[in-house]
Amino acid sequence: MTEASLVSRFDAVLSDLDGVVYAGPHAIPGAVEALQRLESVGVRLGYVTNNASRTPAQVAAHLRELGAPAEDHQVVSSSQAAGDLLAELLAPGSRVMITGSAALAHEIELVGLTPVHSAKEKPVAVVQGFNPEIAWKDLAEASYVVAAGALWVATNTDMSIPQARGIAPGNGTLVAAVASATGKQPRVAGKPEAPLFHSAARRLKSERPIVVGDRLDTDILGGNRAGFATAAVLTGVDTLESILAARSSERPSYLLADLTELYEPYPEIVEEDSTFRCGQATAEVQDGLITVSGSEKDLDAWRAACAAWWAINPDATEATSPRLEWLEN
């Protein structure tokens, strides 16, 4: 690692999983090697996941099967973040009703709270996380407690989850059922909210982490809300086009092809008279048109285009629709 490498600016990498480390059952090319290299350059590694149905140990075991470095403590889940959040807000030993998995109940126990499963046990809070076994009666029980005024925390609000047979309802749909029944909204611990990232940084004793993810609406938004540097990689959901068009809160600090680029110098972007230069490429905006001098295949050209477009749209609350003109050098 040289002083100029991007990763040398940080003391930890907080990495998303699907779309960054693996895609389906297979590791993304170069990802495992990039993660293995972090230890040799003195940078800590944590994994952040919204999955509240598996324990960190189960997630770590899966990562090790792929060859990635992963001790159990390096995985931080939305269940852990929910436990941390509840522990900050409740007295030790307080009863918390579990609407979710045994893994979620275990995390609540670990922070000194008492998991219960019925409104009859007089819980002062409800924590809701994904569990494929959740039934109507579980949602009804949660609704009774929430409607009575209990603190309500959701591990995450992902509306869908990928399954072998297709896309299925996620925890967000189950949370929405309780919200519809009660007219209330939960505090959210997982992505895209900040608590998960703050929990991960605390567990790693990191002061300067960088959040790496493939989704703007969860990884990048959550990392930005936490006040951390963020890097979007192009190995998953979001694309160069969607990143360029992103609303302000979802714009990454850095744009990378994949995890291997953490070890490369990140090019400086320089502005001169409203023209933005990155490497050999330049970009400028006039009348809503981004004119880029450079190759559409050159990531530096896209970095310049993002800088130029974002400079004239600093407060975009919705995704934009930029027009691009490419002038090959």
Side-chain angles (χ1 to χ4, degrees):
M1 181 182 70
T2 66
E3 284 300 315
S5 68
L6 176 59
V7 78
S8 67
R9 305 178 190 181
F10 306 99
D11 63 6
V13 170
L14 304 181
S15 178
D16 177 45
L17 297 175
D18 195 6
V20 178
V21 181
Y22 53 75
H26 304 295
I28 288 170
V32 167
E33 293 78 11
L35 295 170
Q36 291 172 337
R37 191 175 169 187
L38 288 173
E39 183 177 8
S40 69
V41 298
V43 175
R44 296 163 215 154
L45 171 61
Y47 300 97
V48 287
T49 174
N50 263 1
N51 191 325
S53 62
R54 294 195 296 170
T55 66
Q58 290 171 326
V59 175
H62 178 225
L63 287 166
R64 290 193 295 270
E65 290 173 359
L66 295 175
E71 299 296 330
D72 294 356
H73 72 273
Q74 290 177 286
V75 177
V76 184
S77 70
S78 59
S79 291
Q80 289 174 307
D84 290 346
L85 181 58
L86 285 163
E88 293 174 6
L89 299 172
L90 300 175
S94 295
R95 295 181 180 184
V96 178
M97 194 173 86
I98 309 298
T99 306
S101 66
L104 176 57
H106 180 62
E107 295 301 336
I108 297 306
E109 284 184 322
L110 288 178
V111 296
L113 301 172
T114 304
V116 299
H117 297 276
S118 168
K120 295 178 181 178
E121 296 175 90
K122 298 181 179 179
V124 297
V126 174
V127 61
Q128 186 170 356
F130 182 72
N131 180 358
E133 304 303 319
I134 283 178
W136 176 88
K137 62 181 179 61
D138 301 306
L139 298 178
E141 204 73 14
S143 297
Y144 303 148
V145 179
V146 170
L151 172 65
W152 181 24
V153 170
T155 59
N156 65 291
T157 51
D158 295 38
M159 296 305 290
S160 63
I161 54 172
Q163 298 287 288
R165 296 170 59 191
I167 299 299
N171 195 51
T173 62
L174 304 177
V175 169
V178 177
S180 179
T182 62
K184 298 180 182 294
Q185 293 294 327
R187 296 185 64 159
V188 181
K191 306 173 192 178
E193 304 303 327
L196 175 59
F197 299 96
H198 287 153
S199 289
R202 281 196 303 269
R203 289 167 190 265
L204 293 176
K205 296 181 172 58
S206 169
E207 297 179 354
R208 301 185 321 279
I210 182 171
V211 174
V212 183
D214 69 305
R215 293 186 64 122
L216 300 181
D217 61 349
T218 55
D219 308 315
I220 305 307
L221 177 58
N224 287 344
R225 284 175 169 170
F228 298 154
T230 54
V233 292
L234 300 172
T235 48
V237 170
D238 272 293
T239 64
L240 289 166
E241 290 80 6
S242 65
I243 293 169
L244 174 64
R247 58 193 183 120
S248 302
S249 59
E250 296 181 354
R251 293 170 180 171
S253 314
Y254 305 99
L255 178 56
L256 307 177
D258 53 41
L259 286 176
T260 65
E261 291 199 352
L262 287 170
Y263 299 95
E264 297 180 10
Y266 196 81
E268 182 181 10
I269 299 174
V270 179
E271 179 188 4
E272 295 179 358
D273 299 327
S274 300
T275 297
F276 291 79
R277 176 178 296 277
C278 183
Q280 299 301 309
T282 63
E284 59 181 351
V285 180
Q286 286 187 337
D287 300 325
L289 174 68
I290 310 171
T291 302
V292 186
S293 295
S295 170
E296 193 171 350
K297 298 178 181 179
D298 180 11
L299 197 52
D300 282 349
W302 285 94
R303 290 166 175 151
C306 286
W309 183 250
W310 296 348
I312 67 162
N313 293 278
D315 302 307
T317 58
E318 301 291 338
T320 56
S321 301
R323 293 179 294 123
L324 281 162
E325 180 181 38
W326 295 91
L327 304 176
E328 294 284 343
N329 289 334

